[in-house]
Amino acid sequence: NAGVTQTPKFRILKIGQSMTLQCTQDMNHNYMYWYRQDPGMGLKLIYYSVGAGITDKGEVPNGYNVSRSTTEDFPLRLELAAPSQTSVYFCASSSSGGATGELFFGEGSRLTVL
Amino acid sequence: AQRVTQPEKLLSVFKGAPVELKCNYSYSGSPELFWYVQYSRQRLQLLLRHISRESIKGFTADLNKGETSFHLKKPFAQEEDSAMYYCALRVGNQFYFGTGTSLTVIP
């Protein structure tokens, strides 16, 4: 049982490039989340989804896009990478919007924009 | 606006000593609070939730609405407790995390 899988684990981008961070979960969870974590800061919610076809903005959505075409996948798209997007990105999922408080996290993706 | 504050970035204690990791929150509604932990080379995972009033790995946390706090405590720290600890507040479908406290237990 893989849980939440994120790819890639590391990536270096040039300013203006675009990329997609992939996230997939095999637990049949309805809720999925994307967080970013900057050094010395807590996790900030970028986007989340309560089910296939439904997405909502979190605290820091600017510069990102998401889609949720299937229950399993929740990719995060950076269209025009900027140095401010250098961060560690975490994908998470839960079965009931975190009603039990349990988010299942991926291992993280470290992105550097130069 | 809701906010979670963890005032200590780093905390070191000796093995066998009591440990307390502080967490304060700001939220006008009825809070749902959690502690998450990340051990070295492992994923972030749930440690405990206030609603369960449980003790996990010897850790407990009591919600104090008067002081808007949810401090994590353990009477006797162990080396394996060394990790990064995050306090989190759930509001609707969203979780708000603190900046985390890195706990080091000195042998």
Side-chain angles (χ1 to χ4, degrees):
Chain A
N1 194 343
V4 178
T5 303
Q6 290 180 235
T7 56
K9 287 189 170 50
F10 303 93
R11 182 75 186 266
I12 298 176
L13 281 181
K14 293 183 179 178
I15 294 172
Q17 285 185 320
S18 62
M19 75 159 298
T20 300
L21 295 174
Q22 302 290 347
C23 176
T24 187
Q25 51 92 8
D26 61 2
M27 297 174 282
N28 202 32
H29 285 169
N30 285 330
Y31 294 76
M32 295 188 75
Y33 307 81
W34 273 107
Y35 287 90
R36 60 176 286 173
Q37 183 179 36
D38 301 326
M41 307 293 287
L43 282 74
K44 299 287 187 187
L45 183 64
I46 305 171
Y47 272 95
Y48 68 101
S49 168
V50 301
I54 306 169
T55 61
D56 267 309
K57 295 178 181 179
E59 295 175 89
V60 290
N62 292 343
Y64 306 94
N65 279 303
V66 293
S67 60
R68 185 92 183 273
S69 56
T70 67
T71 299
E72 295 78 19
D73 300 306
F74 191 42
L76 178 71
R77 178 88 177 157
L78 286 71
E79 290 293 350
L80 291 170
S84 61
Q85 293 178 303
T86 294
S87 191
V88 180
Y89 292 83
F90 290 97
C91 180
S93 73
S94 73
S95 60
S96 53
T100 61
E102 187 151 22
L103 296 177
F104 292 83
F105 283 86
E107 293 180 299
S109 298
R110 184 176 296 274
L111 175 66
T112 302
V113 182
L114 301 174
Chain B
Q2 40 279 346
R3 192 195 318 186
V4 177
T5 303
Q6 293 179 250
E8 304 138 330
K9 281 192 181 337
L10 303 170
L11 184 62
S12 295
V13 300
F14 285 100
K15 178 181 173 181
V19 62
E20 180 180 54
L21 291 85
K22 291 184 168 52
C23 172
N24 289 89
Y25 66 91
S26 172
Y27 178 51
S28 57
S30 185
E32 292 184 62
L33 287 150
F34 310 89
W35 277 97
Y36 276 77
V37 61
Q38 187 170 27
Y39 301 103
S40 179
R41 298 190 186 87
Q42 293 188 30
R43 303 174 187 216
L44 198 58
Q45 58 188 286
L46 177 67
L47 179 62
L48 56 77
R49 65 204 89 186
H50 93 268
I51 198 168
S52 301
R53 303 181 68 83
E54 57 204 344
S55 173
I56 303 292
K57 299 184 178 182
F59 283 99
T60 59
D62 290 320
L63 176 60
N64 186 322
K65 291 186 179 180
E67 296 182 358
T68 60
S69 67
F70 187 56
H71 302 329
L72 184 68
K73 300 177 184 179
K74 185 169 182 176
F76 307 104
Q78 302 300 313
E79 290 179 64
E80 56 265 29
D81 296 329
S82 295
M84 193 75 181
Y85 292 81
Y86 294 91
C87 183
L89 167 71
R90 176 175 174 261
V91 177
N93 294 322
Q94 299 190 35
F95 283 75
Y96 297 86
F97 286 83
T99 51
T101 297
S102 177
L103 174 65
T104 300
V105 180
I106 304 165

